[in-house]
Amino acid sequence: MENELLQIELNKIIETSNNNITVTDQDGIILRSNPNHWSIYGIEPDQYIGKSVYQLQKEGVLSPSIHAMVLEDKKPVQILQKTKTGRTVMATGFPVFDHNGEIMRAISYSQDQTEIFNLHEQYKGLEKKLVSYQTEVEELRGKEADYHGILYRSSSIEQIVKTIYSVSKTDASVLLLGPSGVGKSTFARMLHAQSNRKNEPFIEVNCSTIPETLFESEMFGYESGSFTGASKHGKQGLIENAEQGTLFLDEIGELPLAVQSKLLRVLQEKKVMRIGGKKERQVNFRLITATNKNIEEMVEKGEFRLDLFYRINIIPLQIPPLKDRKEDLPILINHYVQNINEKYQLAKKFHTSTYDVLTQYNWPGNVRELENILERIILTVDEETILPEHLPANFRSSIPHIEDRAASEINHVETEEHDWKTSIEKIETQLLKKASKHCKTTYEMADYLGISQPSVVRKLKQYAISRNL
């Protein structure tokens, strides 16, 4: 009688599951499965029980068969299947062993992922329209770039901004990738501000700062009295706070595996269950995520769920580090210097030589480091004009070629002048003339001399040096 009840319970669990649960024996013969899901494979419910997965694979119904792979590898497997009906299915299979360590069953869980891949295709279609929208985007960029805190001259950031404008009106999930400090949260806010949800909440969650023990209660909320110390009124979670708006999960690579599973369920079903609750709540939000980690590598190591990765990776945007887009430095430096002066009611300025050092530095901490260093220098230096010697030692030592080249040239300057200013002008003139002979453009001259391109143009004009560049 007890076995009969267990069979009834098992059949009901399989029948009512949102996933397609399938069980085979050690020979790949299907013993049980959810009848409601087999339509995606293009066969009727009564056509699979007792069938061999190897035969179904040969007929192209299962392409490939997750059970065949589990029985062969004798370990868990996760794959994407393509069905005869044109659907894309995420399948995860597990082996079941007897007391002797012999495989006796294989169980799989499958879910239709066609919607996700259709969004990928829609994104590709949007990319093709970018060329025709170029003029309009340039106008919008000029109006909005400063408002969103995104200032740039580089083509790499320009392409990212164009993509954000093109996908902002959709609800497709965006994954922002890049090292720490490149401004991923700024791009997330820009995406929200351009979306149809711009008047609704923008909830930013740094997954690395919330203790794992508190993560579920913070993300999903809790009902009153659900655990010791809980508020008697309960608490709405961060996911519910983002209702109708945007949920931005920064450093999503730090998300615990247990929370990853629950987040995946929320994304799939658009429902959230508070801790200690009995009623699911409908939620509607746009998801943006960011990380400085290699998520694909984490998936391979089992540190990040593959199915969640596919959910968040609809539109990946790689934000390059500052050292790879140095043409953005002049406009960023001017912007932050102006803002910091206004914030503290100061009037500090940078000497040209200081400006050159800042634009040659590699900025390993990216935009965040740039802003912090500029603020520190402006607040701690008493002089109105900030000179290179006011910069931290690592800035000057990181680009020694500037001083070395100048020092070597001094020994070759023929001058009897004792006036410092006149001697320096002679040295600069000689360096510029030498550089103009070796270089074709003012940008090449800037690299050769170790100064910025605007400084080269200014000094050529200052010394009336003609050039055929």
Short mmCIF file of all heavy atoms in Angstrom, two decimals, residues 382-432:
data_model
loop_
_atom_site.label_atom_id
_atom_site.label_comp_id
_atom_site.label_asym_id
_atom_site.label_seq_id
_atom_site.Cartn_x
_atom_site.Cartn_y
_atom_site.Cartn_z
N ASP A 382 48.44 72.79 -1.63
CA ASP A 382 48.10 74.18 -1.27
C ASP A 382 48.19 75.13 -2.45
O ASP A 382 47.43 76.10 -2.54
CB ASP A 382 49.04 74.66 -0.15
CG ASP A 382 48.81 73.90 1.15
OD1 ASP A 382 47.66 73.45 1.37
OD2 ASP A 382 49.76 73.74 1.94
N GLU A 383 49.14 74.89 -3.38
CA GLU A 383 49.32 75.80 -4.51
C GLU A 383 48.12 75.78 -5.45
O GLU A 383 47.44 74.77 -5.58
CB GLU A 383 50.59 75.42 -5.28
CG GLU A 383 51.88 75.79 -4.58
CD GLU A 383 52.28 74.75 -3.54
OE1 GLU A 383 51.48 73.82 -3.32
OE2 GLU A 383 53.37 74.88 -2.95
N GLU A 384 47.90 76.91 -6.10
CA GLU A 384 46.79 77.00 -7.06
C GLU A 384 47.07 76.18 -8.31
O GLU A 384 46.17 75.59 -8.89
CB GLU A 384 46.55 78.47 -7.44
CG GLU A 384 45.93 79.32 -6.35
CD GLU A 384 44.52 78.85 -6.01
OE1 GLU A 384 43.71 78.69 -6.92
OE2 GLU A 384 44.26 78.61 -4.81
N THR A 385 48.35 76.16 -8.73
CA THR A 385 48.74 75.39 -9.91
C THR A 385 49.44 74.11 -9.46
O THR A 385 50.43 74.16 -8.73
CB THR A 385 49.68 76.20 -10.82
OG1 THR A 385 49.01 77.39 -11.24
CG2 THR A 385 50.07 75.38 -12.05
N ILE A 386 48.92 72.99 -9.89
CA ILE A 386 49.45 71.69 -9.47
C ILE A 386 50.52 71.24 -10.46
O ILE A 386 50.27 71.11 -11.67
CB ILE A 386 48.31 70.66 -9.38
CG1 ILE A 386 47.32 71.11 -8.29
CG2 ILE A 386 48.85 69.27 -9.06
CD1 ILE A 386 46.04 70.32 -8.26
N LEU A 387 51.72 70.97 -9.93
CA LEU A 387 52.89 70.59 -10.74
C LEU A 387 53.13 69.09 -10.66
O LEU A 387 52.58 68.41 -9.77
CB LEU A 387 54.12 71.35 -10.24
CG LEU A 387 54.02 72.89 -10.26
CD1 LEU A 387 55.23 73.50 -9.58
CD2 LEU A 387 53.87 73.39 -11.69
N PRO A 388 53.97 68.53 -11.56
CA PRO A 388 54.23 67.09 -11.53
C PRO A 388 54.75 66.59 -10.19
O PRO A 388 54.43 65.48 -9.77
CB PRO A 388 55.27 66.90 -12.64
CG PRO A 388 55.00 68.01 -13.59
CD PRO A 388 54.59 69.17 -12.73
N GLU A 389 55.57 67.42 -9.50
CA GLU A 389 56.12 66.97 -8.22
C GLU A 389 55.05 66.83 -7.13
O GLU A 389 55.29 66.23 -6.08
CB GLU A 389 57.22 67.92 -7.73
CG GLU A 389 56.81 69.37 -7.68
CD GLU A 389 57.27 70.14 -8.92
OE1 GLU A 389 57.26 69.55 -10.02
OE2 GLU A 389 57.64 71.31 -8.77
N HIS A 390 53.85 67.39 -7.38
CA HIS A 390 52.75 67.23 -6.42
C HIS A 390 52.05 65.88 -6.57
O HIS A 390 51.26 65.49 -5.69
CB HIS A 390 51.71 68.35 -6.61
CG HIS A 390 52.24 69.71 -6.27
ND1 HIS A 390 51.98 70.82 -7.05
CD2 HIS A 390 53.05 70.14 -5.25
CE1 HIS A 390 52.57 71.87 -6.52
NE2 HIS A 390 53.22 71.48 -5.42
N LEU A 391 52.32 65.19 -7.67
CA LEU A 391 51.68 63.89 -7.91
C LEU A 391 52.35 62.80 -7.09
O LEU A 391 53.52 62.93 -6.74
CB LEU A 391 51.75 63.53 -9.40
CG LEU A 391 51.07 64.47 -10.39
CD1 LEU A 391 51.34 64.01 -11.82
CD2 LEU A 391 49.57 64.54 -10.13
N PRO A 392 51.62 61.72 -6.78
CA PRO A 392 52.25 60.59 -6.09
C PRO A 392 53.45 60.07 -6.88
O PRO A 392 53.47 60.15 -8.12
CB PRO A 392 51.13 59.55 -6.03
CG PRO A 392 49.87 60.35 -6.09
CD PRO A 392 50.17 61.51 -6.99
N ALA A 393 54.43 59.52 -6.19
CA ALA A 393 55.68 59.10 -6.82
C ALA A 393 55.45 58.06 -7.91
O ALA A 393 56.16 58.06 -8.92
CB ALA A 393 56.63 58.55 -5.76
N ASN A 394 54.46 57.18 -7.73
CA ASN A 394 54.25 56.12 -8.73
C ASN A 394 53.82 56.68 -10.08
O ASN A 394 54.01 56.05 -11.12
CB ASN A 394 53.23 55.11 -8.23
CG ASN A 394 51.86 55.73 -7.99
OD1 ASN A 394 51.74 56.69 -7.26
ND2 ASN A 394 50.84 55.17 -8.60
N PHE A 395 53.25 57.88 -10.11
CA PHE A 395 52.85 58.49 -11.39
C PHE A 395 54.08 58.88 -12.18
O PHE A 395 54.20 58.61 -13.37
CB PHE A 395 51.97 59.72 -11.14
CG PHE A 395 50.54 59.39 -10.86
CD1 PHE A 395 50.16 58.90 -9.62
CD2 PHE A 395 49.58 59.54 -11.83
CE1 PHE A 395 48.86 58.59 -9.35
CE2 PHE A 395 48.26 59.22 -11.58
CZ PHE A 395 47.90 58.74 -10.34
N ARG A 396 55.01 59.57 -11.51
CA ARG A 396 56.22 60.03 -12.21
C ARG A 396 57.12 58.87 -12.62
O ARG A 396 57.67 58.85 -13.71
CB ARG A 396 56.98 61.01 -11.32
CG ARG A 396 56.15 62.23 -10.93
CD ARG A 396 57.02 63.28 -10.23
NE ARG A 396 57.64 62.79 -9.01
CZ ARG A 396 57.04 62.79 -7.82
NH1 ARG A 396 55.80 63.24 -7.72
NH2 ARG A 396 57.66 62.35 -6.75
N SER A 397 57.24 57.88 -11.73
CA SER A 397 58.14 56.75 -12.02
C SER A 397 57.57 55.82 -13.08
O SER A 397 58.31 55.06 -13.70
CB SER A 397 58.40 55.95 -10.74
OG SER A 397 57.19 55.39 -10.24
N SER A 398 56.24 55.88 -13.31
CA SER A 398 55.64 54.97 -14.29
C SER A 398 55.93 55.37 -15.72
O SER A 398 55.76 54.58 -16.64
CB SER A 398 54.12 54.92 -14.07
OG SER A 398 53.54 56.18 -14.38
N ILE A 399 56.38 56.63 -15.93
CA ILE A 399 56.69 57.09 -17.30
C ILE A 399 58.03 57.81 -17.30
O ILE A 399 58.12 58.98 -17.63
CB ILE A 399 55.57 58.00 -17.84
CG1 ILE A 399 55.13 59.00 -16.76
CG2 ILE A 399 54.40 57.23 -18.34
CD1 ILE A 399 54.10 59.99 -17.25
N PRO A 400 59.12 57.09 -16.95
CA PRO A 400 60.43 57.74 -16.84
C PRO A 400 60.98 58.22 -18.16
O PRO A 400 61.88 59.05 -18.17
CB PRO A 400 61.31 56.62 -16.26
CG PRO A 400 60.66 55.35 -16.72
CD PRO A 400 59.19 55.66 -16.70
N HIS A 401 60.47 57.71 -19.26
CA HIS A 401 61.04 58.08 -20.56
C HIS A 401 60.93 59.56 -20.86
O HIS A 401 61.70 60.11 -21.63
CB HIS A 401 60.36 57.28 -21.67
CG HIS A 401 58.90 57.56 -21.79
ND1 HIS A 401 57.96 56.99 -20.95
CD2 HIS A 401 58.21 58.35 -22.64
CE1 HIS A 401 56.75 57.41 -21.29
NE2 HIS A 401 56.88 58.24 -22.31
N ILE A 402 59.96 60.24 -20.25
CA ILE A 402 59.79 61.67 -20.51
C ILE A 402 61.00 62.44 -19.98
O ILE A 402 61.64 63.20 -20.70
CB ILE A 402 58.51 62.19 -19.83
CG1 ILE A 402 57.29 61.46 -20.40
CG2 ILE A 402 58.36 63.69 -20.03
CD1 ILE A 402 56.01 61.84 -19.71
N GLU A 403 61.30 62.20 -18.67
CA GLU A 403 62.42 62.92 -18.09
C GLU A 403 63.75 62.45 -18.69
O GLU A 403 64.66 63.23 -18.89
CB GLU A 403 62.41 62.73 -16.57
CG GLU A 403 61.18 63.37 -15.92
CD GLU A 403 61.14 63.14 -14.41
OE1 GLU A 403 62.07 62.48 -13.90
OE2 GLU A 403 60.20 63.61 -13.77
N ASP A 404 63.87 61.14 -18.94
CA ASP A 404 65.10 60.60 -19.50
C ASP A 404 65.41 61.20 -20.86
O ASP A 404 66.55 61.55 -21.16
CB ASP A 404 65.01 59.08 -19.62
CG ASP A 404 64.99 58.41 -18.26
OD1 ASP A 404 65.28 59.09 -17.26
OD2 ASP A 404 64.66 57.21 -18.22
N ARG A 405 64.35 61.32 -21.69
CA ARG A 405 64.57 61.86 -23.04
C ARG A 405 64.98 63.33 -22.96
O ARG A 405 65.87 63.78 -23.65
CB ARG A 405 63.32 61.69 -23.89
CG ARG A 405 63.53 62.16 -25.33
CD ARG A 405 62.30 61.89 -26.19
NE ARG A 405 62.14 60.46 -26.36
CZ ARG A 405 61.00 59.82 -26.18
NH1 ARG A 405 59.92 60.49 -25.83
NH2 ARG A 405 60.93 58.54 -26.36
N ALA A 406 64.30 64.07 -22.09
CA ALA A 406 64.64 65.49 -21.95
C ALA A 406 66.06 65.66 -21.45
O ALA A 406 66.82 66.50 -21.92
CB ALA A 406 63.66 66.16 -21.00
N ALA A 407 66.45 64.81 -20.46
CA ALA A 407 67.79 64.91 -19.88
C ALA A 407 68.86 64.61 -20.93
O ALA A 407 69.90 65.27 -20.98
CB ALA A 407 67.92 63.95 -18.71
N SER A 408 68.62 63.60 -21.76
CA SER A 408 69.61 63.24 -22.78
C SER A 408 69.74 64.32 -23.83
O SER A 408 70.83 64.55 -24.37
CB SER A 408 69.23 61.91 -23.43
OG SER A 408 68.02 62.04 -24.13
N GLU A 409 68.62 65.01 -24.11
CA GLU A 409 68.66 66.05 -25.13
C GLU A 409 69.39 67.30 -24.61
O GLU A 409 70.01 68.02 -25.37
CB GLU A 409 67.24 66.43 -25.57
CG GLU A 409 66.53 65.34 -26.36
CD GLU A 409 67.21 65.07 -27.69
OE1 GLU A 409 67.87 65.98 -28.21
OE2 GLU A 409 67.06 63.95 -28.20
N ILE A 410 69.29 67.53 -23.29
CA ILE A 410 69.94 68.73 -22.73
C ILE A 410 71.44 68.71 -23.03
O ILE A 410 72.06 69.73 -23.32
CB ILE A 410 69.71 68.81 -21.20
CG1 ILE A 410 68.24 69.20 -20.96
CG2 ILE A 410 70.63 69.82 -20.54
CD1 ILE A 410 67.84 69.16 -19.50
N ASN A 411 72.05 67.54 -22.97
CA ASN A 411 73.50 67.41 -23.19
C ASN A 411 73.90 67.74 -24.62
O ASN A 411 75.06 67.96 -24.90
CB ASN A 411 73.95 65.98 -22.85
CG ASN A 411 73.76 65.67 -21.38
OD1 ASN A 411 73.89 66.54 -20.53
ND2 ASN A 411 73.46 64.41 -21.08
N HIS A 412 72.90 67.73 -25.53
CA HIS A 412 73.22 67.98 -26.94
C HIS A 412 72.80 69.36 -27.40
O HIS A 412 72.93 69.70 -28.57
CB HIS A 412 72.53 66.93 -27.83
CG HIS A 412 73.03 65.55 -27.59
ND1 HIS A 412 72.53 64.74 -26.61
CD2 HIS A 412 74.02 64.83 -28.20
CE1 HIS A 412 73.16 63.57 -26.62
NE2 HIS A 412 74.07 63.59 -27.57
N VAL A 413 72.25 70.14 -26.48
CA VAL A 413 71.81 71.48 -26.86
C VAL A 413 73.00 72.45 -26.78
O VAL A 413 73.64 72.57 -25.73
CB VAL A 413 70.67 71.97 -25.94
CG1 VAL A 413 70.33 73.42 -26.27
CG2 VAL A 413 69.47 71.09 -26.10
N GLU A 414 73.29 73.10 -27.89
CA GLU A 414 74.38 74.05 -27.90
C GLU A 414 73.82 75.43 -27.57
O GLU A 414 73.13 76.04 -28.38
CB GLU A 414 75.05 74.07 -29.28
CG GLU A 414 75.71 72.74 -29.64
CD GLU A 414 76.36 72.81 -31.00
OE1 GLU A 414 76.33 73.89 -31.61
OE2 GLU A 414 76.91 71.78 -31.43
N THR A 415 74.07 75.88 -26.35
CA THR A 415 73.57 77.18 -25.95
C THR A 415 74.48 77.77 -24.88
O THR A 415 75.04 77.04 -24.05
CB THR A 415 72.14 77.11 -25.40
OG1 THR A 415 71.76 78.41 -24.95
CG2 THR A 415 72.03 76.12 -24.23
N GLU A 416 74.65 79.05 -24.96
CA GLU A 416 75.40 79.74 -23.92
C GLU A 416 74.47 80.52 -23.02
O GLU A 416 74.91 81.34 -22.20
CB GLU A 416 76.43 80.68 -24.58
CG GLU A 416 77.48 79.93 -25.40
CD GLU A 416 78.50 80.89 -26.00
OE1 GLU A 416 78.32 82.12 -25.85
OE2 GLU A 416 79.45 80.40 -26.63
N GLU A 417 73.19 80.28 -23.20
CA GLU A 417 72.20 80.99 -22.39
C GLU A 417 72.28 80.52 -20.94
O GLU A 417 72.48 79.34 -20.67
CB GLU A 417 70.79 80.73 -22.94
CG GLU A 417 70.57 81.24 -24.35
CD GLU A 417 70.50 82.76 -24.42
OE1 GLU A 417 70.36 83.40 -23.36
OE2 GLU A 417 70.61 83.28 -25.54
N HIS A 418 72.14 81.46 -20.03
CA HIS A 418 72.10 81.12 -18.62
C HIS A 418 70.70 81.30 -18.06
O HIS A 418 70.44 80.93 -16.93
CB HIS A 418 73.10 81.99 -17.83
CG HIS A 418 74.53 81.77 -18.25
ND1 HIS A 418 75.23 80.63 -17.92
CD2 HIS A 418 75.37 82.54 -19.00
CE1 HIS A 418 76.47 80.71 -18.42
NE2 HIS A 418 76.56 81.85 -19.09
N ASP A 419 69.82 81.90 -18.87
CA ASP A 419 68.43 82.10 -18.44
C ASP A 419 67.68 80.77 -18.56
O ASP A 419 67.69 80.13 -19.61
CB ASP A 419 67.75 83.17 -19.31
CG ASP A 419 66.31 83.37 -18.92
OD1 ASP A 419 66.06 83.88 -17.82
OD2 ASP A 419 65.43 82.96 -19.73
N TRP A 420 67.05 80.36 -17.46
CA TRP A 420 66.37 79.06 -17.42
C TRP A 420 65.28 78.97 -18.48
O TRP A 420 65.20 77.98 -19.21
CB TRP A 420 65.78 78.84 -16.02
CG TRP A 420 64.90 77.62 -15.91
CD1 TRP A 420 63.56 77.57 -15.98
CD2 TRP A 420 65.34 76.27 -15.75
NE1 TRP A 420 63.11 76.29 -15.87
CE2 TRP A 420 64.18 75.47 -15.72
CE3 TRP A 420 66.59 75.66 -15.62
CZ2 TRP A 420 64.25 74.09 -15.56
CZ3 TRP A 420 66.64 74.30 -15.46
CH2 TRP A 420 65.49 73.52 -15.43
N LYS A 421 64.42 79.97 -18.57
CA LYS A 421 63.29 79.94 -19.50
C LYS A 421 63.77 79.84 -20.94
O LYS A 421 63.24 79.05 -21.73
CB LYS A 421 62.43 81.20 -19.32
CG LYS A 421 61.20 81.22 -20.20
CD LYS A 421 60.37 82.47 -19.96
CE LYS A 421 59.15 82.49 -20.89
NZ LYS A 421 58.35 83.72 -20.72
N THR A 422 64.77 80.61 -21.29
CA THR A 422 65.28 80.60 -22.66
C THR A 422 65.88 79.24 -23.00
O THR A 422 65.70 78.70 -24.10
CB THR A 422 66.33 81.70 -22.85
OG1 THR A 422 65.77 82.96 -22.49
CG2 THR A 422 66.80 81.76 -24.30
N SER A 423 66.61 78.65 -22.03
CA SER A 423 67.23 77.35 -22.25
C SER A 423 66.18 76.27 -22.46
O SER A 423 66.29 75.42 -23.34
CB SER A 423 68.13 76.98 -21.06
OG SER A 423 69.18 77.90 -20.92
N ILE A 424 65.12 76.31 -21.65
CA ILE A 424 64.05 75.33 -21.77
C ILE A 424 63.35 75.45 -23.12
O ILE A 424 63.03 74.44 -23.78
CB ILE A 424 63.03 75.50 -20.62
CG1 ILE A 424 63.65 75.09 -19.29
CG2 ILE A 424 61.77 74.67 -20.88
CD1 ILE A 424 64.09 73.65 -19.21
N GLU A 425 63.15 76.68 -23.58
CA GLU A 425 62.51 76.89 -24.88
C GLU A 425 63.37 76.31 -26.00
O GLU A 425 62.84 75.73 -26.96
CB GLU A 425 62.27 78.38 -25.10
CG GLU A 425 61.14 78.94 -24.24
CD GLU A 425 60.96 80.43 -24.43
OE1 GLU A 425 61.81 81.06 -25.10
OE2 GLU A 425 59.96 80.97 -23.90
N LYS A 426 64.69 76.46 -25.88
CA LYS A 426 65.58 75.89 -26.89
C LYS A 426 65.51 74.37 -26.90
O LYS A 426 65.50 73.72 -27.95
CB LYS A 426 67.03 76.35 -26.64
CG LYS A 426 67.31 77.75 -27.12
CD LYS A 426 68.80 77.95 -27.36
CE LYS A 426 69.06 79.25 -28.10
NZ LYS A 426 70.46 79.33 -28.54
N ILE A 427 65.47 73.79 -25.70
CA ILE A 427 65.39 72.32 -25.60
C ILE A 427 64.07 71.83 -26.20
O ILE A 427 64.05 70.86 -26.98
CB ILE A 427 65.50 71.89 -24.12
CG1 ILE A 427 66.89 72.21 -23.57
CG2 ILE A 427 65.19 70.40 -23.97
CD1 ILE A 427 67.01 72.05 -22.07
N GLU A 428 62.97 72.50 -25.86
CA GLU A 428 61.66 72.08 -26.38
C GLU A 428 61.61 72.22 -27.90
O GLU A 428 61.06 71.35 -28.59
CB GLU A 428 60.55 72.90 -25.74
CG GLU A 428 60.28 72.54 -24.28
CD GLU A 428 59.02 73.19 -23.73
OE1 GLU A 428 58.65 74.27 -24.22
OE2 GLU A 428 58.43 72.62 -22.80
N THR A 429 62.17 73.30 -28.41
CA THR A 429 62.18 73.51 -29.86
C THR A 429 62.95 72.40 -30.56
O THR A 429 62.50 71.86 -31.58
CB THR A 429 62.81 74.88 -30.20
OG1 THR A 429 62.06 75.91 -29.56
CG2 THR A 429 62.82 75.11 -31.70
N GLN A 430 64.10 72.05 -30.01
CA GLN A 430 64.91 71.00 -30.63
C GLN A 430 64.20 69.65 -30.59
O GLN A 430 64.22 68.88 -31.55
CB GLN A 430 66.27 70.90 -29.93
CG GLN A 430 67.22 69.89 -30.58
CD GLN A 430 68.66 70.09 -30.16
OE1 GLN A 430 69.09 71.23 -29.96
NE2 GLN A 430 69.40 69.02 -30.01
N LEU A 431 63.57 69.35 -29.43
CA LEU A 431 62.83 68.09 -29.31
C LEU A 431 61.68 68.02 -30.31
O LEU A 431 61.44 66.98 -30.94
CB LEU A 431 62.29 67.95 -27.88
CG LEU A 431 63.30 67.54 -26.79
CD1 LEU A 431 62.68 67.71 -25.42
CD2 LEU A 431 63.74 66.09 -27.00
N LEU A 432 60.96 69.13 -30.46
CA LEU A 432 59.83 69.16 -31.38
C LEU A 432 60.28 68.99 -32.83
O LEU A 432 59.65 68.27 -33.62
CB LEU A 432 59.04 70.47 -31.22
CG LEU A 432 58.21 70.59 -29.94
CD1 LEU A 432 57.79 72.04 -29.70
CD2 LEU A 432 56.97 69.69 -30.03
#
